[in-house]
Amino acid sequence: MPRRLQLFSALVFLGLGLVVWWAMSQAAEKRLNPNKRDWESFVARQVAEQTAEHSYPLRRPLDFGPFEAALAQLETPLLEHLQTLTQQATIPELQAEMQAGRLTSEQLTLFYLWRIRRYNDRLRAYLELNPAVLEEARARDAERRQGKLRGVLHGIPLSLKDNISTVGPLHTTAGAAVLAEHMADQDAFIVQKLRAAGAVILGKNNLSEWANFMTSQSVNGYSTLGGHTRNPYGPFDVGGSSSGTAVAVAANLAVAGIGSETSGSLIYPAAQNSVFTLKPTLGLVSRDRIIPITAAQDTAGPMTKSAADLAVLMSVIAGHDPTDTTTEIAARFSFPATPPAFSLPLRVGWVQHTQRKGDAEALAQVAQVLSTLGVEVVEVPFSESSIQMMPVLHAGMRRDLARYLQTTGAAIRGLQEVIEYNRQHPEAMRYGQDLLEASLAHPFSEAEYEALVSKNHLQGSERLLDMMQTSQVEVLLTVSNSLSVLTSTSGFPVVNLPAGYRESGEPVGASLVAQPLQDPLLIGLAQAVADQLNIHKPPVLP
């Protein structure tokens, strides 16, 4: 494979937030690992673009008009109390405060609006605020006073990645100018479940435009409508594509949030922003009315400040959706709202592969904590893969985006119209749109697409099972999203937890991988490790 094509392929995957570069397959038909200089050049460009001062002619400013009068009445003692409380409290602890009458949903919501107003211009984590959010919070407070609690999220302010559909007045845009005025016909299935459980929707988060499948030259966290999302920990790659949601949670601009992943787009930004996330077993969470790349791999998932809150959110959003046949497995699965304690004996395999400076030290600490908890940790060799994911993403984008647009009543009907709009509005594609164009032109038939999806699923599953069974382990430990090609094609679940910080202050994430439907085990294990490790620190924001 020519060197130029190798580098292009690697850039495509890293731009998606799909895989840490050094963990890519070395097979000839896929790509070679780029050398250290290539990696450093890529990261340097990401950080330079994310932290530079740019103009954003199409960026939609946040509207605080509906909240100004209420914000003006916030008192300093309450703000100081909530600054401390919200950085540490879990969702059940916030619920206990509200149930005891020491806190209201309105106060909590106003606090987050205050922080968003203070920090979002710098971090660009939000694309749009819900103008009715205070009304929703007050309604949840009134219901609580009447003894009517909807569920475990009653009155809890959450944020949503802006590829997850919401009815008006909130738009659903994927950060793209062509969808700037798009309002879906109804809430996504998971949003309906969140509202039914009492959640208050603060607004929509910025993201890598089109979930970072627009251009091979993309910058993680950039969208036309939102600008460049910035890492609150400093001049580090923010990760993609659920970057805005990760930043909103890390910077305490929401209690928690919901992002999405096709391959690494939950895990990578979570690792880069020192938050917890779960990439669920494929099929546990409906993809209804979530702007897609490919139904073969797409899934939504929670992003939180604690492992325990992953379970709370999953207990709400997991479930069978009759319109999404993949979720049939969820009909037979009840997700516990409290992560279960793991049982011993348990063996965890530490996957060995090339790492960045600081990663090995962070994972060694995680391995030591696991050993302290009675878990046997063994080294597992990294299993390389020649999985052909890009054709699935291209063919899936062409097919599934058109289905989404037509289902939700969008003014445009398919990928061709998206591409033509961008050609007529160059300001809408700062970094180009070659991936969209390649998707439109991709030659795969439906049968070829389904055949490759099945082949990739089998290969991804076999690689992961081989690593587990050869070393007789139930869980794999790895750094960040280094196994994302395998976990995304196989549908295996992954939990990311904060594992430490490099000398520069850049966060390091540790990921735990298990077989399908072992999501609760992963959350429980992550919680036990995090409690013992006690290494997480919030970003310092003036």
Side-chain angles (χ1 to χ4, degrees):
M1 176 183 288
R3 174 65 180 162
R4 184 177 178 183
L5 185 55
Q6 295 170 11
L7 183 55
F8 173 79
S9 297
L11 285 171
V12 169
F13 273 89
L14 242 173
L16 274 163
L18 295 176
V19 225
V20 174
W21 217 352
W22 60 84
M24 302 289 279
S25 168
Q26 294 182 349
E29 75 262 34
K30 190 175 178 191
R31 64 198 59 78
L32 298 176
N33 280 332
N35 60 37
K36 183 178 180 182
R37 184 176 179 181
D38 291 332
W39 162 253
E40 291 175 347
S41 296
F42 175 83
V43 171
R45 174 178 177 266
Q46 294 288 300
V47 174
E49 288 291 306
Q50 291 164 10
T51 58
E53 292 301 323
H54 297 279
S55 62
Y56 303 112
L58 300 182
R59 185 184 176 206
R60 177 181 285 143
L62 299 184
D63 181 10
F64 290 91
F67 324 120
E68 290 293 358
L71 285 168
Q73 297 177 21
L74 276 175
E75 297 180 352
T76 301
L78 176 63
L79 288 173
E80 292 176 347
H81 169 64
L82 290 179
Q83 296 255 52
T84 302
L85 175 67
T86 56
Q87 194 61 62
Q88 303 296 331
T90 63
I91 291 173
E93 289 168 344
L94 291 174
Q95 286 287 12
E97 289 292 299
M98 288 190 281
Q99 197 63 22
R102 294 186 292 266
L103 177 66
T104 67
S105 179
E106 180 180 3
Q107 289 173 330
L108 194 57
T109 300
L110 277 170
F111 167 75
Y112 281 113
L113 290 170
W114 177 81
R115 283 188 65 84
I116 293 167
R117 184 174 63 176
R118 182 170 182 177
Y119 295 114
N120 195 68
D121 277 349
R122 182 188 318 171
L123 299 176
R124 304 187 190 104
Y126 280 84
L127 278 170
E128 186 176 19
L129 295 176
N130 176 9
V133 66
L134 272 186
E135 298 171 18
E136 294 177 13
R138 289 164 181 157
R140 299 298 83 76
D141 286 335
E143 291 170 349
R144 189 182 295 273
R145 288 192 295 269
Q146 297 165 9
K148 301 176 181 177
L149 296 183
R150 297 189 178 200
V152 294
L153 297 177
H154 195 96
I156 299 295
L158 304 177
S159 64
L160 304 173
K161 183 177 179 180
D162 196 28
N163 62 346
I164 301 172
S165 289
T166 46
V167 294
L170 279 171
H171 299 84
T172 303
T173 70
V178 68
L179 291 179
E181 301 306 320
H182 174 55
M183 291 184 183
D185 61 324
Q186 64 183 55
D187 284 336
F189 183 80
I190 62 170
V191 177
Q192 295 177 38
K193 291 174 73 67
L194 291 169
R195 294 191 194 276
V200 173
I201 306 302
L202 279 165
K204 307 296 281 292
N205 294 132
N206 200 6
L207 70 163
S208 307
E209 190 165 336
W210 293 113
N212 231 339
F213 205 64
M214 181 177 183
T215 166
S216 60
Q217 299 302 309
S218 66
V219 172
N220 288 330
Y222 171 78
S223 75
T224 300
L225 297 183
H228 293 87
T229 312
R230 289 179 171 177
N231 192 317
Y233 283 91
F236 313 119
D237 186 9
V238 73
S241 65
S242 300
S243 45
T245 309
V247 170
V249 175
N252 198 22
L253 307 184
V255 173
I258 306 294
S260 71
E261 171 166 328
T262 302
S263 186
S265 289
L266 283 164
I267 301 300
Y268 186 43
Q272 287 297 113
N273 292 279
S274 201
V275 298
F276 295 81
T277 194
L278 170 73
K279 195 285 286 189
T281 296
L282 188 66
L284 280 185
V285 178
S286 169
R287 284 83 53 83
D288 167 65
R289 289 171 172 78
I290 299 177
I291 298 177
I293 294 179
T294 172
Q297 297 177 195
D298 293 346
T299 183
M303 308 187 91
T304 64
K305 302 183 192 73
S306 72
D309 285 350
L310 294 176
V312 174
L313 286 169
M314 283 300 297
S315 73
V316 173
I317 65 173
H320 178 230
D321 174 8
T323 70
D324 184 351
T325 57
T326 306
T327 64
E328 289 176 0
I329 64 168
R332 307 182 298 276
F333 187 83
S334 178
F335 210 105
T338 301
F342 61 89
S343 301
L344 296 175
L346 179 68
R347 284 169 58 92
V348 170
W350 179 357
V351 180
Q352 303 295 300
H353 54 82
T354 307
Q355 299 164 317
R356 294 176 60 190
K357 185 177 180 181
D359 290 348
E361 293 82 354
L363 289 191
Q365 291 186 83
V366 173
Q368 179 58 48
V369 168
L370 286 168
S371 297
T372 301
L373 293 169
V375 176
E376 184 179 358
V377 180
V378 299
E379 294 186 358
V380 175
F382 178 71
S383 177
E384 295 178 359
S385 167
S386 59
I387 293 174
Q388 300 179 61
M389 189 192 298
M390 286 297 286
V392 169
L393 304 185
H394 283 305
M397 183 72 163
R398 181 184 61 201
R399 182 194 71 173
D400 295 335
L401 178 60
R403 290 178 178 175
Y404 167 86
L405 295 171
Q406 292 162 24
T407 297
T408 59
I412 56 170
R413 309 299 285 174
L415 196 52
Q416 178 69 59
E417 292 182 49
V418 173
I419 292 168
E420 288 303 322
Y421 177 93
N422 291 337
R423 287 172 178 167
Q424 295 170 24
H425 302 83
E427 68 277 13
M429 52 172 187
R430 182 188 295 256
Y431 299 109
Q433 60 174 347
D434 60 305
L435 293 182
L436 297 183
E437 292 170 346
S439 296
L440 181 64
H442 201 277
F444 261 19
S445 66
E446 186 74 11
E448 290 171 319
Y449 168 79
E450 294 295 345
L452 186 55
V453 167
S454 296
K455 179 182 177 182
N456 288 353
H457 175 78
L458 180 62
Q459 288 184 329
S461 300
E462 287 178 342
R463 292 285 197 281
L464 290 171
L465 290 173
D466 181 64
M467 283 192 280
M468 293 177 180
Q469 294 170 358
T470 299
S471 301
Q472 296 182 319
V473 301
E474 292 83 30
V475 175
L476 298 174
L477 167 67
T478 188
V479 63
S480 187
N481 60 337
S482 58
L483 293 178
S484 285
V485 167
L486 301 179
T487 57
S488 60
T489 52
S490 66
F492 281 31
V494 189
V495 158
N496 181 85
L497 66 146
Y501 304 87
R502 300 184 178 92
E503 290 182 2
S504 63
E506 183 179 12
V508 180
S511 289
L512 300 169
V513 179
Q515 293 188 44
L517 302 182
Q518 294 299 308
D519 309 54
L521 165 66
L522 292 180
I523 294 175
L525 194 57
Q527 181 176 24
V529 171
D531 289 346
Q532 290 290 321
L533 195 59
N534 195 28
I535 201 170
H536 177 257
K537 54 187 178 184
V540 177
L541 297 173

